[in-house]
Amino acid sequence: MKLIAGIIGGLILAVLGAILVTMTFAASPEKGGGWGATAFFVFWIIGIAVALGAKSPAKAWRRLLLSSAVLSFLAPISAIIYTGSFMATQIDTASEYAGAQAAGVAVGGGLISGFMGFVGFFLGVVFLIIGLLVGRDKQVVYIERQPQAEGER
Protein backbone atom coordinates (compact mmCIF):
# COMPACT_ATOMS: atom_id res chain seq x y z
CA MET A 1 0.00 0.00 0.00
CA LYS A 2 2.91 2.35 0.63
CA LEU A 3 4.06 1.71 -2.94
CA ILE A 4 0.64 2.66 -4.30
CA ALA A 5 0.70 5.81 -2.17
CA GLY A 6 4.17 6.54 -3.50
CA ILE A 7 3.17 6.05 -7.11
CA ILE A 8 -0.08 8.05 -7.00
CA GLY A 9 0.96 10.65 -4.42
CA GLY A 10 4.38 10.89 -6.04
CA LEU A 11 2.67 11.55 -9.37
CA ILE A 12 0.83 14.51 -7.83
CA LEU A 13 4.10 15.74 -6.35
CA ALA A 14 5.89 15.23 -9.67
CA VAL A 15 3.32 17.18 -11.68
CA LEU A 16 3.48 20.12 -9.28
CA GLY A 17 7.27 20.03 -9.19
CA ALA A 18 7.54 19.84 -12.98
CA ILE A 19 5.18 22.81 -13.35
CA LEU A 20 7.28 24.85 -10.94
CA VAL A 21 10.59 24.01 -12.59
CA THR A 22 9.22 24.50 -16.11
CA MET A 23 7.65 27.83 -15.16
CA THR A 24 10.84 29.02 -13.48
CA PHE A 25 13.02 28.28 -16.51
CA ALA A 26 10.45 29.04 -19.23
CA ALA A 27 12.22 32.25 -20.31
CA SER A 28 14.96 30.14 -21.88
CA PRO A 29 13.17 27.40 -23.86
CA GLU A 30 16.32 25.34 -24.36
CA LYS A 31 16.57 24.84 -20.58
CA GLY A 32 12.94 24.95 -19.47
CA GLY A 33 11.54 21.93 -21.27
CA GLY A 34 14.44 19.61 -20.56
CA TRP A 35 14.73 20.58 -16.92
CA GLY A 36 10.96 20.32 -16.46
CA ALA A 37 10.90 16.77 -17.83
CA THR A 38 13.89 15.80 -15.70
CA ALA A 39 12.28 17.40 -12.63
CA PHE A 40 9.11 15.36 -13.21
CA PHE A 41 10.97 12.07 -12.87
CA VAL A 42 13.16 13.31 -10.03
CA PHE A 43 10.13 14.45 -8.00
CA TRP A 44 8.33 11.19 -8.75
CA ILE A 45 11.28 9.13 -7.52
CA ILE A 46 11.52 11.34 -4.42
CA GLY A 47 7.80 10.85 -3.81
CA ILE A 48 8.13 7.06 -4.02
CA ALA A 49 11.15 7.12 -1.72
CA VAL A 50 9.34 9.29 0.83
CA ALA A 51 6.34 6.96 0.77
CA LEU A 52 8.44 3.83 1.17
CA GLY A 53 10.28 5.39 4.11
CA ALA A 54 7.07 6.08 6.04
CA LYS A 55 5.87 3.89 8.90
CA SER A 56 2.41 3.28 7.40
CA PRO A 57 0.52 4.06 4.19
CA ALA A 58 -1.45 6.77 6.00
CA LYS A 59 1.78 8.46 7.09
CA ALA A 60 3.05 8.19 3.51
CA TRP A 61 -0.05 9.98 2.22
CA ARG A 62 0.35 12.60 4.93
CA ARG A 63 3.95 13.33 3.94
CA LEU A 64 3.17 13.45 0.23
CA LEU A 65 0.14 15.70 0.64
CA LEU A 66 2.00 18.11 2.90
CA SER A 67 4.88 18.21 0.40
CA SER A 68 2.38 18.90 -2.38
CA ALA A 69 0.93 21.74 -0.30
CA VAL A 70 4.38 23.31 0.03
CA LEU A 71 4.96 23.07 -3.73
CA SER A 72 1.52 24.58 -4.38
CA PHE A 73 2.32 27.56 -2.17
CA LEU A 74 5.56 28.08 -4.14
CA ALA A 75 3.72 28.54 -7.45
CA PRO A 76 3.60 32.36 -7.41
CA ILE A 77 7.31 32.55 -6.63
CA SER A 78 8.12 30.55 -9.76
CA ALA A 79 5.97 32.92 -11.81
CA ILE A 80 7.78 35.93 -10.36
CA ILE A 81 11.15 34.36 -11.18
CA TYR A 82 9.91 33.65 -14.70
CA THR A 83 8.88 37.29 -15.13
CA GLY A 84 12.25 38.59 -13.96
CA SER A 85 14.13 36.14 -16.12
CA PHE A 86 12.03 37.03 -19.16
CA MET A 87 12.66 40.73 -18.60
CA ALA A 88 16.40 40.13 -18.31
CA THR A 89 16.77 37.91 -21.37
CA GLN A 90 14.07 38.78 -23.90
CA ILE A 91 13.71 42.58 -23.83
CA ASP A 92 15.81 44.41 -26.42
CA THR A 93 17.13 47.41 -24.50
CA ALA A 94 18.51 49.02 -27.67
CA SER A 95 15.14 49.18 -29.42
CA GLU A 96 12.97 52.26 -29.60
CA TYR A 97 10.13 50.64 -27.68
CA ALA A 98 12.12 49.02 -24.86
CA GLY A 99 10.00 50.78 -22.24
CA ALA A 100 6.78 49.48 -23.77
CA GLN A 101 8.24 45.98 -23.90
CA ALA A 102 9.21 46.18 -20.24
CA ALA A 103 5.76 47.47 -19.28
CA GLY A 104 4.08 44.70 -21.24
CA VAL A 105 6.24 42.04 -19.64
CA ALA A 106 5.58 43.52 -16.19
CA VAL A 107 1.81 43.54 -16.72
CA GLY A 108 1.78 40.06 -18.21
CA GLY A 109 4.07 38.72 -15.49
CA GLY A 110 1.86 40.27 -12.85
CA LEU A 111 -1.18 38.56 -14.33
CA ILE A 112 0.63 35.22 -14.45
CA SER A 113 1.86 35.64 -10.87
CA GLY A 114 -1.63 36.53 -9.72
CA PHE A 115 -3.17 33.54 -11.45
CA MET A 116 -0.53 31.18 -10.09
CA GLY A 117 -1.01 32.69 -6.64
CA PHE A 118 -4.77 32.11 -6.80
CA VAL A 119 -4.48 28.54 -8.05
CA GLY A 120 -1.50 27.74 -5.81
CA PHE A 121 -3.22 29.11 -2.71
CA PHE A 122 -6.38 27.05 -3.13
CA LEU A 123 -4.53 23.90 -4.16
CA GLY A 124 -2.18 24.38 -1.22
CA VAL A 125 -5.07 24.82 1.21
CA VAL A 126 -6.77 21.66 -0.06
CA PHE A 127 -3.58 19.61 0.16
CA LEU A 128 -2.74 21.08 3.57
CA ILE A 129 -6.14 20.33 5.10
CA ILE A 130 -6.28 16.80 3.73
CA GLY A 131 -2.65 16.18 4.67
CA LEU A 132 -3.20 17.33 8.23
CA LEU A 133 -6.27 15.12 8.63
CA VAL A 134 -4.82 11.94 7.12
CA GLY A 135 -2.44 9.73 9.07
CA ARG A 136 -2.73 11.40 12.45
CA ASP A 137 -1.69 9.53 15.54
CA LYS A 138 -4.53 8.62 17.83
CA GLN A 139 -5.01 11.13 20.59
CA VAL A 140 -3.98 9.87 24.01
CA VAL A 141 -5.71 11.46 26.97
CA TYR A 142 -4.15 11.22 30.42
CA ILE A 143 -6.55 11.65 33.34
CA GLU A 144 -4.91 12.58 36.58
CA ARG A 145 -6.33 10.92 39.65
CA GLN A 146 -7.68 13.25 42.31
CA PRO A 147 -5.92 12.93 45.68
CA GLN A 148 -8.19 11.60 48.38
CA ALA A 149 -8.78 13.59 51.53
CA GLU A 150 -7.25 12.28 54.74
CA GLY A 151 -10.53 11.46 56.41
CA GLU A 152 -12.08 9.60 53.42
CA ARG A 153 -9.73 6.62 53.35
Side-chain angles (χ1 to χ4, degrees), residues 2 5 8-9 18 41 45 55 73 81 83 88-91 95 101 104 106 110 113 122 127 148:
K2 290 192 294 187
I8 296 171
F41 292 109
I45 290 168
K55 292 180 185 176
F73 288 132
I81 292 171
T83 302
T89 59
Q90 302 296 325
I91 292 179
S95 77
Q101 289 176 358
S113 299
F122 285 109
F127 286 137
Q148 293 181 347

Side-chain angles (χ1 to χ4, degrees), residues 19-20 23 72-80 110-122:
I19 288 171
L20 290 179
M23 173 77 73
S72 295
F73 288 132
L74 290 175
I77 294 173
S78 70
I80 291 170
L111 290 173
I112 290 173
S113 299
F115 176 75
M116 292 299 284
F118 181 79
V119 171
F121 174 74
F122 285 109

Side-chain angles (χ1 to χ4, degrees), residues 45-148:
I45 290 168
I46 289 172
I48 292 172
V50 164
L52 291 177
K55 292 180 185 176
S56 67
K59 294 285 186 187
W61 276 109
R62 182 180 181 99
R63 290 179 182 180
L64 290 170
L65 288 170
L66 292 177
S67 300
S68 297
V70 169
L71 289 181
S72 295
F73 288 132
L74 290 175
I77 294 173
S78 70
I80 291 170
I81 292 171
Y82 162 70
T83 302
S85 176
F86 191 87
M87 286 183 98
T89 59
Q90 302 296 325
I91 292 179
D92 183 19
T93 56
S95 77
E96 180 181 357
Y97 300 108
Q101 289 176 358
V105 170
V107 169
L111 290 173
I112 290 173
S113 299
F115 176 75
M116 292 299 284
F118 181 79
V119 171
F121 174 74
F122 285 109
L123 266 178
V125 166
V126 168
F127 286 137
L128 187 64
I129 290 172
I130 295 171
L132 289 174
L133 293 176
V134 172
R136 293 187 299 176
D137 291 328
K138 299 217 187 251
Q139 192 173 15
V140 178
V141 178
Y142 294 103
I143 300 174
E144 206 171 296
R145 193 174 193 182
Q146 295 293 329
Q148 293 181 347

